[in-house]
Amino acid sequence: MHSNQRRSRTAIVLIVLVTVGLVAGWWWSRRGQDATPIAQWAAPAPAPIAGVDQPADLVGGDPAGDIVRARRPGAARRDLSTERSYDLPRGRALDVIAALQPRAEAGDNDAAFYLFLKIEGCRYQLYHSGDNNRAAPTSGDSVESQLIARTSPDCHGLTPEHYRNNLRWLEQAADSGLIMAQLSYAGNAEAVVGNSSQMLANPEKVIAYRRKAMGYLHRAAANGSVGALHSLGDAYHYGVLAPRDPARAYAYAYAESLALPQYGQFRLGNYAKQLDPSQLAAATQQGRRIYDACCK
């Protein structure tokens, strides 16, 4: 029994790792050539998780109602800044930190997100080389030399403390309502929770991450983010951030197709294959309600 539990937990962690780039991969594909490709490790079709205990607030409920409840009082239904892009700041990371950290600490949430992007680009270099993952630098006097050897000159001078504290900037930006920060949080579990060993050692942190990530996605959808609808559909299709639910996955994908008719038809067709006619009709109706709550 314990062996089965360990295998199940290992499978959960591996699936989380291969899916962290689903949102970030789309996002970084829109960046310029100077951007560090943080999410190149995205996998096209991770397997769903079976038998995973989920937080109660991720189970059940009405999807359209979840979006309505996530909307802040007085907030506009459609945030025209949802498609705003954020280019990776150029220059040395230490210079970027010197320029932006005082602004971020004073409450500039754009500055906080730019800080995260810059440091996250360096963190990715530390742990990923091409298609290969690398272990964390070992402790001792050689840490600084390892950091230098593993990263580009722009990243030299960053300390382990810079990397450890970087989540602070992402959460500040996401908590403020910055949609790209919310999508980035939900699409980058490794930056939030850590590598597979850290996830295995702290499953409670993984559960807290999933809960917070889903909350961010609902808030982003409440402000009209079509990208959030896409991510919510994937969450219920793959069963990583939330329990696997083919009907709910189709409903979010259908809402996305109403917002962007030119995209997602192939995906929508694949999702429909998992439903019988009555389920498909109910999910379609649910998708219309999601669209009305999000994006109409």
Side-chain angles (χ1 to χ4, degrees):
M1 179 176 179
H2 292 298
S3 177
N4 289 336
Q5 290 176 339
R6 284 195 297 270
R7 286 196 295 270
S8 177
R9 179 177 292 181
T10 301
I12 294 168
V13 171
L14 292 176
I15 293 168
V16 170
L17 282 175
V18 299
T19 57
V20 294
L22 287 172
V23 173
W26 162 78
W27 164 33
W28 281 102
S29 70
R30 301 171 60 191
R31 305 277 74 75
Q33 293 183 348
D34 292 323
T36 302
I38 292 175
Q40 287 180 345
W41 67 96
I49 297 175
V52 180
D53 293 333
Q54 298 285 346
D57 55 359
L58 296 184
V59 180
D62 171 49
D66 290 341
I67 292 174
V68 172
R69 286 187 292 273
R71 186 174 297 116
R72 289 180 172 178
R77 174 172 296 192
R78 179 74 175 177
D79 185 345
L80 297 179
S81 68
T82 56
E83 302 304 321
R84 177 180 174 185
S85 58
Y86 291 79
D87 294 323
L88 188 66
R90 299 184 182 184
R92 295 175 64 244
L94 288 180
D95 294 336
V96 172
I97 291 171
L100 295 183
Q101 184 165 326
R103 290 167 48 188
E105 290 174 340
D108 185 333
N109 299 310
D110 282 323
F113 189 48
Y114 280 121
L115 273 176
F116 165 75
L117 293 181
K118 188 64 176 181
I119 300 172
E120 171 62 7
C122 295
R123 186 204 64 81
Y124 182 75
Q125 293 178 41
L126 277 177
Y127 292 100
H128 302 278
S129 174
D131 294 329
N132 299 319
N133 297 335
R134 296 186 287 198
T138 56
S139 59
D141 295 337
S142 63
V143 168
E144 183 177 358
S145 62
Q146 290 178 67
L147 294 179
I148 291 174
R150 291 183 177 200
T151 58
S152 63
D154 281 359
C155 301
H156 294 174
L158 292 181
T159 66
E161 185 176 6
H162 284 123
Y163 293 108
R164 283 193 298 268
N165 292 338
N166 197 33
L167 179 59
R168 165 191 177 187
W169 307 122
L170 176 60
E171 290 186 327
Q172 175 181 326
D175 287 341
S176 76
L178 205 66
I179 286 177
M180 286 310 303
Q182 293 170 339
L183 297 181
S184 180
Y185 184 99
N188 198 343
E190 188 184 73
V192 179
V193 184
N195 59 25
S196 59
S197 297
Q198 292 167 313
M199 290 183 183
L200 285 170
N202 198 343
E204 293 80 11
K205 189 174 182 181
V206 174
I207 290 174
Y209 163 74
R210 288 186 294 186
R211 180 184 293 113
K212 192 164 189 175
M214 290 296 286
Y216 281 146
L217 290 178
H218 284 120
R219 285 177 57 186
N223 281 339
S225 170
V226 179
L229 296 182
H230 186 98
S231 296
L232 285 164
D234 281 349
Y236 287 105
H237 177 70
Y238 295 120
V240 175
L241 288 180
R244 190 172 184 276
D245 187 332
R248 189 169 293 210
Y250 180 89
Y252 280 111
Y254 184 80
E256 180 189 8
S257 74
L258 293 177
L260 294 174
Q262 66 273 38
Y263 297 112
Q265 295 304 315
F266 179 79
R267 174 171 172 260
L268 197 62
N270 282 338
Y271 284 15
K273 294 175 183 177
Q274 303 177 51
L275 306 175
D276 63 35
S278 63
Q279 291 173 325
L280 184 61
T284 300
Q285 183 178 10
Q286 193 174 67
R288 291 193 183 100
R289 295 180 59 227
I290 293 171
Y291 171 72
D292 288 345
C294 162
C295 312
K296 189 174 180 180

mmCIF file of all heavy atoms in Angstrom, residues 155-195:
data_model
loop_
_atom_site.group_PDB
_atom_site.id
_atom_site.type_symbol
_atom_site.label_atom_id
_atom_site.label_comp_id
_atom_site.label_asym_id
_atom_site.label_seq_id
_atom_site.Cartn_x
_atom_site.Cartn_y
_atom_site.Cartn_z
ATOM 1 N N CYS A 155 23.399 37.152 -15.672
ATOM 2 C CA CYS A 155 22.918 36.629 -14.390
ATOM 3 C C CYS A 155 24.009 36.574 -13.325
ATOM 4 O O CYS A 155 23.706 36.279 -12.155
ATOM 5 C CB CYS A 155 22.345 35.228 -14.581
ATOM 6 S SG CYS A 155 20.969 35.146 -15.748
ATOM 7 N N HIS A 156 25.244 36.821 -13.689
ATOM 8 C CA HIS A 156 26.335 36.718 -12.729
ATOM 9 C C HIS A 156 26.178 37.749 -11.620
ATOM 10 O O HIS A 156 25.808 38.898 -11.873
ATOM 11 C CB HIS A 156 27.680 36.891 -13.430
ATOM 12 C CG HIS A 156 27.989 35.789 -14.396
ATOM 13 N ND1 HIS A 156 29.088 35.804 -15.231
ATOM 14 C CD2 HIS A 156 27.331 34.631 -14.668
ATOM 15 C CE1 HIS A 156 29.091 34.717 -15.975
ATOM 16 N NE2 HIS A 156 28.033 33.980 -15.658
ATOM 17 N N GLY A 157 26.432 37.317 -10.403
ATOM 18 C CA GLY A 157 26.290 38.199 -9.243
ATOM 19 C C GLY A 157 25.037 37.938 -8.440
ATOM 20 O O GLY A 157 24.938 38.371 -7.288
ATOM 21 N N LEU A 158 24.077 37.231 -9.025
ATOM 22 C CA LEU A 158 22.892 36.863 -8.255
ATOM 23 C C LEU A 158 23.276 35.837 -7.193
ATOM 24 O O LEU A 158 24.111 34.963 -7.420
ATOM 25 C CB LEU A 158 21.807 36.282 -9.165
ATOM 26 C CG LEU A 158 21.139 37.238 -10.151
ATOM 27 C CD1 LEU A 158 20.070 36.494 -10.943
ATOM 28 C CD2 LEU A 158 20.516 38.418 -9.428
ATOM 29 N N THR A 159 22.655 35.915 -6.050
ATOM 30 C CA THR A 159 22.940 35.022 -4.938
ATOM 31 C C THR A 159 21.774 34.048 -4.739
ATOM 32 O O THR A 159 20.667 34.281 -5.239
ATOM 33 C CB THR A 159 23.143 35.821 -3.648
ATOM 34 O OG1 THR A 159 21.889 36.444 -3.291
ATOM 35 C CG2 THR A 159 24.210 36.893 -3.834
ATOM 36 N N PRO A 160 22.006 32.974 -3.989
ATOM 37 C CA PRO A 160 20.875 32.075 -3.673
ATOM 38 C C PRO A 160 19.697 32.814 -3.053
ATOM 39 O O PRO A 160 18.547 32.452 -3.280
ATOM 40 C CB PRO A 160 21.500 31.068 -2.700
ATOM 41 C CG PRO A 160 22.941 31.004 -3.113
ATOM 42 C CD PRO A 160 23.287 32.416 -3.498
ATOM 43 N N GLU A 161 19.963 33.859 -2.289
ATOM 44 C CA GLU A 161 18.877 34.624 -1.667
ATOM 45 C C GLU A 161 18.009 35.310 -2.729
ATOM 46 O O GLU A 161 16.781 35.380 -2.584
ATOM 47 C CB GLU A 161 19.439 35.670 -0.712
ATOM 48 C CG GLU A 161 18.360 36.431 0.058
ATOM 49 C CD GLU A 161 18.944 37.388 1.072
ATOM 50 O OE1 GLU A 161 20.185 37.554 1.107
ATOM 51 O OE2 GLU A 161 18.159 37.993 1.824
ATOM 52 N N HIS A 162 18.627 35.819 -3.793
ATOM 53 C CA HIS A 162 17.853 36.423 -4.874
ATOM 54 C C HIS A 162 16.861 35.404 -5.451
ATOM 55 O O HIS A 162 15.702 35.730 -5.704
ATOM 56 C CB HIS A 162 18.775 36.917 -5.995
ATOM 57 C CG HIS A 162 19.494 38.175 -5.681
ATOM 58 N ND1 HIS A 162 20.872 38.266 -5.717
ATOM 59 C CD2 HIS A 162 19.049 39.410 -5.320
ATOM 60 C CE1 HIS A 162 21.246 39.497 -5.400
ATOM 61 N NE2 HIS A 162 20.156 40.202 -5.159
ATOM 62 N N TYR A 163 17.350 34.191 -5.666
ATOM 63 C CA TYR A 163 16.494 33.165 -6.248
ATOM 64 C C TYR A 163 15.397 32.738 -5.274
ATOM 65 O O TYR A 163 14.246 32.544 -5.674
ATOM 66 C CB TYR A 163 17.327 31.953 -6.677
ATOM 67 C CG TYR A 163 18.257 32.239 -7.827
ATOM 68 C CD1 TYR A 163 19.639 32.326 -7.629
ATOM 69 C CD2 TYR A 163 17.770 32.438 -9.115
ATOM 70 C CE1 TYR A 163 20.502 32.589 -8.690
ATOM 71 C CE2 TYR A 163 18.620 32.700 -10.177
ATOM 72 C CZ TYR A 163 19.991 32.775 -9.952
ATOM 73 O OH TYR A 163 20.834 33.046 -11.006
ATOM 74 N N ARG A 164 15.749 32.591 -4.005
ATOM 75 C CA ARG A 164 14.758 32.162 -3.016
ATOM 76 C C ARG A 164 13.647 33.188 -2.853
ATOM 77 O O ARG A 164 12.481 32.837 -2.644
ATOM 78 C CB ARG A 164 15.435 31.915 -1.661
ATOM 79 C CG ARG A 164 16.207 30.607 -1.576
ATOM 80 C CD ARG A 164 16.554 30.290 -0.139
ATOM 81 N NE ARG A 164 17.407 31.301 0.463
ATOM 82 C CZ ARG A 164 18.729 31.254 0.472
ATOM 83 N NH1 ARG A 164 19.360 30.229 -0.097
ATOM 84 N NH2 ARG A 164 19.439 32.207 1.043
ATOM 85 N N ASN A 165 13.975 34.457 -2.926
ATOM 86 C CA ASN A 165 13.003 35.516 -2.666
ATOM 87 C C ASN A 165 12.200 35.927 -3.894
ATOM 88 O O ASN A 165 11.319 36.784 -3.793
ATOM 89 C CB ASN A 165 13.714 36.760 -2.103
ATOM 90 C CG ASN A 165 14.270 36.521 -0.716
ATOM 91 O OD1 ASN A 165 13.821 35.620 -0.007
ATOM 92 N ND2 ASN A 165 15.255 37.322 -0.319
ATOM 93 N N ASN A 166 12.480 35.317 -5.047
ATOM 94 C CA ASN A 166 11.847 35.800 -6.268
ATOM 95 C C ASN A 166 10.344 35.568 -6.294
ATOM 96 O O ASN A 166 9.600 36.335 -6.909
ATOM 97 C CB ASN A 166 12.484 35.140 -7.496
ATOM 98 C CG ASN A 166 12.158 35.895 -8.768
ATOM 99 O OD1 ASN A 166 12.024 37.122 -8.766
ATOM 100 N ND2 ASN A 166 12.019 35.175 -9.865
ATOM 101 N N LEU A 167 9.877 34.529 -5.617
ATOM 102 C CA LEU A 167 8.435 34.264 -5.580
ATOM 103 C C LEU A 167 7.675 35.442 -4.977
ATOM 104 O O LEU A 167 6.508 35.680 -5.329
ATOM 105 C CB LEU A 167 8.158 32.989 -4.779
ATOM 106 C CG LEU A 167 6.696 32.578 -4.627
ATOM 107 C CD1 LEU A 167 6.046 32.359 -5.983
ATOM 108 C CD2 LEU A 167 6.577 31.328 -3.758
ATOM 109 N N ARG A 168 8.330 36.166 -4.105
ATOM 110 C CA ARG A 168 7.698 37.350 -3.489
ATOM 111 C C ARG A 168 7.204 38.323 -4.544
ATOM 112 O O ARG A 168 6.102 38.859 -4.439
ATOM 113 C CB ARG A 168 8.710 38.036 -2.566
ATOM 114 C CG ARG A 168 8.345 39.444 -2.137
ATOM 115 C CD ARG A 168 9.530 40.105 -1.456
ATOM 116 N NE ARG A 168 9.242 41.490 -1.095
ATOM 117 C CZ ARG A 168 10.158 42.329 -0.607
ATOM 118 N NH1 ARG A 168 11.396 41.910 -0.401
ATOM 119 N NH2 ARG A 168 9.814 43.578 -0.310
ATOM 120 N N TRP A 169 8.002 38.541 -5.582
ATOM 121 C CA TRP A 169 7.632 39.528 -6.605
ATOM 122 C C TRP A 169 6.492 39.006 -7.475
ATOM 123 O O TRP A 169 5.591 39.762 -7.838
ATOM 124 C CB TRP A 169 8.846 39.877 -7.463
ATOM 125 C CG TRP A 169 10.028 40.296 -6.662
ATOM 126 C CD1 TRP A 169 11.277 39.727 -6.648
ATOM 127 C CD2 TRP A 169 10.083 41.372 -5.714
ATOM 128 N NE1 TRP A 169 12.087 40.367 -5.759
ATOM 129 C CE2 TRP A 169 11.395 41.395 -5.174
ATOM 130 C CE3 TRP A 169 9.165 42.317 -5.263
ATOM 131 C CZ2 TRP A 169 11.798 42.308 -4.219
ATOM 132 C CZ3 TRP A 169 9.566 43.246 -4.304
ATOM 133 C CH2 TRP A 169 10.867 43.235 -3.799
ATOM 134 N N LEU A 170 6.527 37.714 -7.789
ATOM 135 C CA LEU A 170 5.442 37.142 -8.587
ATOM 136 C C LEU A 170 4.123 37.216 -7.828
ATOM 137 O O LEU A 170 3.089 37.599 -8.389
ATOM 138 C CB LEU A 170 5.768 35.692 -8.942
ATOM 139 C CG LEU A 170 4.678 34.928 -9.710
ATOM 140 C CD1 LEU A 170 4.372 35.601 -11.040
ATOM 141 C CD2 LEU A 170 5.094 33.479 -9.930
ATOM 142 N N GLU A 171 4.126 36.858 -6.560
ATOM 143 C CA GLU A 171 2.885 36.873 -5.786
ATOM 144 C C GLU A 171 2.384 38.295 -5.570
ATOM 145 O O GLU A 171 1.173 38.539 -5.576
ATOM 146 C CB GLU A 171 3.103 36.170 -4.449
ATOM 147 C CG GLU A 171 3.278 34.659 -4.609
ATOM 148 C CD GLU A 171 3.340 33.942 -3.288
ATOM 149 O OE1 GLU A 171 3.867 34.545 -2.309
ATOM 150 O OE2 GLU A 171 2.880 32.783 -3.217
ATOM 151 N N GLN A 172 3.289 39.252 -5.394
ATOM 152 C CA GLN A 172 2.850 40.642 -5.263
ATOM 153 C C GLN A 172 2.101 41.086 -6.513
ATOM 154 O O GLN A 172 1.022 41.685 -6.426
ATOM 155 C CB GLN A 172 4.050 41.568 -5.028
ATOM 156 C CG GLN A 172 3.670 43.063 -4.996
ATOM 157 C CD GLN A 172 4.864 43.976 -4.792
ATOM 158 O OE1 GLN A 172 5.820 43.629 -4.081
ATOM 159 N NE2 GLN A 172 4.849 45.154 -5.398
ATOM 160 N N ALA A 173 2.675 40.792 -7.685
ATOM 161 C CA ALA A 173 2.040 41.194 -8.938
ATOM 162 C C ALA A 173 0.724 40.458 -9.154
ATOM 163 O O ALA A 173 -0.275 41.053 -9.567
ATOM 164 C CB ALA A 173 2.994 40.939 -10.104
ATOM 165 N N ALA A 174 0.704 39.152 -8.861
ATOM 166 C CA ALA A 174 -0.518 38.375 -9.065
ATOM 167 C C ALA A 174 -1.608 38.801 -8.082
ATOM 168 O O ALA A 174 -2.777 38.927 -8.457
ATOM 169 C CB ALA A 174 -0.212 36.885 -8.918
ATOM 170 N N ASP A 175 -1.247 39.029 -6.835
ATOM 171 C CA ASP A 175 -2.232 39.457 -5.833
ATOM 172 C C ASP A 175 -2.845 40.805 -6.184
ATOM 173 O O ASP A 175 -3.991 41.089 -5.829
ATOM 174 C CB ASP A 175 -1.590 39.537 -4.446
ATOM 175 C CG ASP A 175 -1.308 38.167 -3.845
ATOM 176 O OD1 ASP A 175 -1.913 37.176 -4.315
ATOM 177 O OD2 ASP A 175 -0.484 38.076 -2.915
ATOM 178 N N SER A 176 -2.079 41.642 -6.891
ATOM 179 C CA SER A 176 -2.577 42.969 -7.253
ATOM 180 C C SER A 176 -3.601 42.900 -8.384
ATOM 181 O O SER A 176 -4.267 43.893 -8.674
ATOM 182 C CB SER A 176 -1.416 43.870 -7.679
ATOM 183 O OG SER A 176 -0.954 43.541 -8.987
ATOM 184 N N GLY A 177 -3.703 41.733 -9.037
ATOM 185 C CA GLY A 177 -4.623 41.589 -10.155
ATOM 186 C C GLY A 177 -3.969 41.621 -11.519
ATOM 187 O O GLY A 177 -4.666 41.625 -12.537
ATOM 188 N N LEU A 178 -2.650 41.627 -11.573
ATOM 189 C CA LEU A 178 -1.944 41.634 -12.856
ATOM 190 C C LEU A 178 -2.149 40.280 -13.529
ATOM 191 O O LEU A 178 -1.661 39.247 -13.053
ATOM 192 C CB LEU A 178 -0.457 41.903 -12.616
ATOM 193 C CG LEU A 178 0.346 42.517 -13.754
ATOM 194 C CD1 LEU A 178 -0.125 43.937 -14.054
ATOM 195 C CD2 LEU A 178 1.823 42.530 -13.379
ATOM 196 N N ILE A 179 -2.862 40.288 -14.637
ATOM 197 C CA ILE A 179 -3.307 39.025 -15.226
ATOM 198 C C ILE A 179 -2.140 38.168 -15.705
ATOM 199 O O ILE A 179 -2.126 36.947 -15.493
ATOM 200 C CB ILE A 179 -4.314 39.296 -16.365
ATOM 201 C CG1 ILE A 179 -5.649 39.723 -15.749
ATOM 202 C CG2 ILE A 179 -4.504 38.073 -17.253
ATOM 203 C CD1 ILE A 179 -6.710 40.089 -16.743
ATOM 204 N N MET A 180 -1.146 38.757 -16.345
ATOM 205 C CA MET A 180 -0.039 37.933 -16.821
ATOM 206 C C MET A 180 0.721 37.310 -15.659
ATOM 207 O O MET A 180 1.259 36.202 -15.784
ATOM 208 C CB MET A 180 0.901 38.766 -17.699
ATOM 209 C CG MET A 180 0.349 39.075 -19.084
ATOM 210 S SD MET A 180 -0.292 37.627 -19.985
ATOM 211 C CE MET A 180 1.124 36.565 -20.023
ATOM 212 N N ALA A 181 0.769 37.980 -14.507
ATOM 213 C CA ALA A 181 1.392 37.380 -13.332
ATOM 214 C C ALA A 181 0.551 36.222 -12.815
ATOM 215 O O ALA A 181 1.083 35.185 -12.388
ATOM 216 C CB ALA A 181 1.578 38.438 -12.246
ATOM 217 N N GLN A 182 -0.755 36.366 -12.850
ATOM 218 C CA GLN A 182 -1.639 35.284 -12.414
ATOM 219 C C GLN A 182 -1.501 34.063 -13.312
ATOM 220 O O GLN A 182 -1.418 32.928 -12.836
ATOM 221 C CB GLN A 182 -3.084 35.787 -12.390
ATOM 222 C CG GLN A 182 -3.332 36.852 -11.328
ATOM 223 C CD GLN A 182 -4.679 37.528 -11.462
ATOM 224 O OE1 GLN A 182 -5.290 37.507 -12.533
ATOM 225 N NE2 GLN A 182 -5.145 38.150 -10.389
ATOM 226 N N LEU A 183 -1.456 34.283 -14.625
ATOM 227 C CA LEU A 183 -1.273 33.175 -15.555
ATOM 228 C C LEU A 183 0.104 32.541 -15.390
ATOM 229 O O LEU A 183 0.256 31.310 -15.472
ATOM 230 C CB LEU A 183 -1.449 33.656 -16.996
ATOM 231 C CG LEU A 183 -2.831 34.206 -17.383
ATOM 232 C CD1 LEU A 183 -2.832 34.620 -18.855
ATOM 233 C CD2 LEU A 183 -3.928 33.198 -17.117
ATOM 234 N N SER A 184 1.100 33.355 -15.142
ATOM 235 C CA SER A 184 2.448 32.837 -14.967
ATOM 236 C C SER A 184 2.538 31.977 -13.711
ATOM 237 O O SER A 184 3.167 30.908 -13.712
ATOM 238 C CB SER A 184 3.449 33.997 -14.885
ATOM 239 O OG SER A 184 4.760 33.510 -14.716
ATOM 240 N N TYR A 185 1.917 32.410 -12.627
ATOM 241 C CA TYR A 185 1.911 31.628 -11.389
ATOM 242 C C TYR A 185 1.281 30.259 -11.638
ATOM 243 O O TYR A 185 1.828 29.221 -11.239
ATOM 244 C CB TYR A 185 1.145 32.393 -10.311
ATOM 245 C CG TYR A 185 1.150 31.724 -8.957
ATOM 246 C CD1 TYR A 185 2.034 32.136 -7.959
ATOM 247 C CD2 TYR A 185 0.263 30.693 -8.658
ATOM 248 C CE1 TYR A 185 2.041 31.524 -6.718
ATOM 249 C CE2 TYR A 185 0.258 30.079 -7.415
ATOM 250 C CZ TYR A 185 1.144 30.503 -6.451
ATOM 251 O OH TYR A 185 1.151 29.885 -5.213
ATOM 252 N N ALA A 186 0.129 30.254 -12.289
ATOM 253 C CA ALA A 186 -0.578 28.996 -12.534
ATOM 254 C C ALA A 186 0.168 28.100 -13.512
ATOM 255 O O ALA A 186 0.005 26.873 -13.476
ATOM 256 C CB ALA A 186 -1.981 29.284 -13.061
ATOM 257 N N GLY A 187 0.988 28.661 -14.379
ATOM 258 C CA GLY A 187 1.684 27.885 -15.393
ATOM 259 C C GLY A 187 3.110 27.541 -15.064
ATOM 260 O O GLY A 187 3.818 26.996 -15.905
ATOM 261 N N ASN A 188 3.571 27.827 -13.847
ATOM 262 C CA ASN A 188 4.982 27.616 -13.534
ATOM 263 C C ASN A 188 5.127 27.076 -12.119
ATOM 264 O O ASN A 188 5.612 27.747 -11.222
ATOM 265 C CB ASN A 188 5.752 28.937 -13.690
ATOM 266 C CG ASN A 188 7.252 28.720 -13.807
ATOM 267 O OD1 ASN A 188 7.750 27.653 -13.472
ATOM 268 N ND2 ASN A 188 7.962 29.730 -14.257
ATOM 269 N N ALA A 189 4.697 25.837 -11.918
ATOM 270 C CA ALA A 189 4.749 25.228 -10.590
ATOM 271 C C ALA A 189 6.171 25.131 -10.058
ATOM 272 O O ALA A 189 6.417 25.273 -8.857
ATOM 273 C CB ALA A 189 4.114 23.838 -10.633
ATOM 274 N N GLU A 190 7.122 24.892 -10.944
ATOM 275 C CA GLU A 190 8.499 24.717 -10.498
ATOM 276 C C GLU A 190 9.041 25.981 -9.842
ATOM 277 O O GLU A 190 9.756 25.918 -8.843
ATOM 278 C CB GLU A 190 9.392 24.318 -11.674
ATOM 279 C CG GLU A 190 10.796 23.927 -11.250
ATOM 280 C CD GLU A 190 11.688 23.637 -12.452
ATOM 281 O OE1 GLU A 190 12.085 24.591 -13.137
ATOM 282 O OE2 GLU A 190 11.962 22.455 -12.687
ATOM 283 N N ALA A 191 8.685 27.142 -10.385
ATOM 284 C CA ALA A 191 9.160 28.395 -9.802
ATOM 285 C C ALA A 191 8.542 28.645 -8.435
ATOM 286 O O ALA A 191 9.126 29.334 -7.594
ATOM 287 C CB ALA A 191 8.844 29.569 -10.734
ATOM 288 N N VAL A 192 7.357 28.080 -8.203
ATOM 289 C CA VAL A 192 6.644 28.325 -6.953
ATOM 290 C C VAL A 192 6.947 27.261 -5.911
ATOM 291 O O VAL A 192 7.271 27.570 -4.758
ATOM 292 C CB VAL A 192 5.115 28.382 -7.207
ATOM 293 C CG1 VAL A 192 4.357 28.605 -5.902
ATOM 294 C CG2 VAL A 192 4.790 29.480 -8.207
ATOM 295 N N VAL A 193 6.867 25.994 -6.310
ATOM 296 C CA VAL A 193 6.964 24.885 -5.359
ATOM 297 C C VAL A 193 8.371 24.304 -5.299
ATOM 298 O O VAL A 193 8.824 23.856 -4.247
ATOM 299 C CB VAL A 193 5.946 23.783 -5.720
ATOM 300 C CG1 VAL A 193 5.968 22.666 -4.680
ATOM 301 C CG2 VAL A 193 4.541 24.360 -5.821
ATOM 302 N N GLY A 194 9.065 24.310 -6.425
ATOM 303 C CA GLY A 194 10.397 23.732 -6.453
ATOM 304 C C GLY A 194 10.446 22.531 -7.377
ATOM 305 O O GLY A 194 9.500 22.225 -8.099
ATOM 306 N N ASN A 195 11.555 21.811 -7.324
ATOM 307 C CA ASN A 195 11.743 20.661 -8.211
ATOM 308 C C ASN A 195 11.001 19.442 -7.671
ATOM 309 O O ASN A 195 10.296 19.500 -6.662
ATOM 310 C CB ASN A 195 13.235 20.380 -8.409
ATOM 311 C CG ASN A 195 13.946 20.083 -7.089
ATOM 312 O OD1 ASN A 195 13.334 19.634 -6.119
ATOM 313 N ND2 ASN A 195 15.245 20.332 -7.046
#
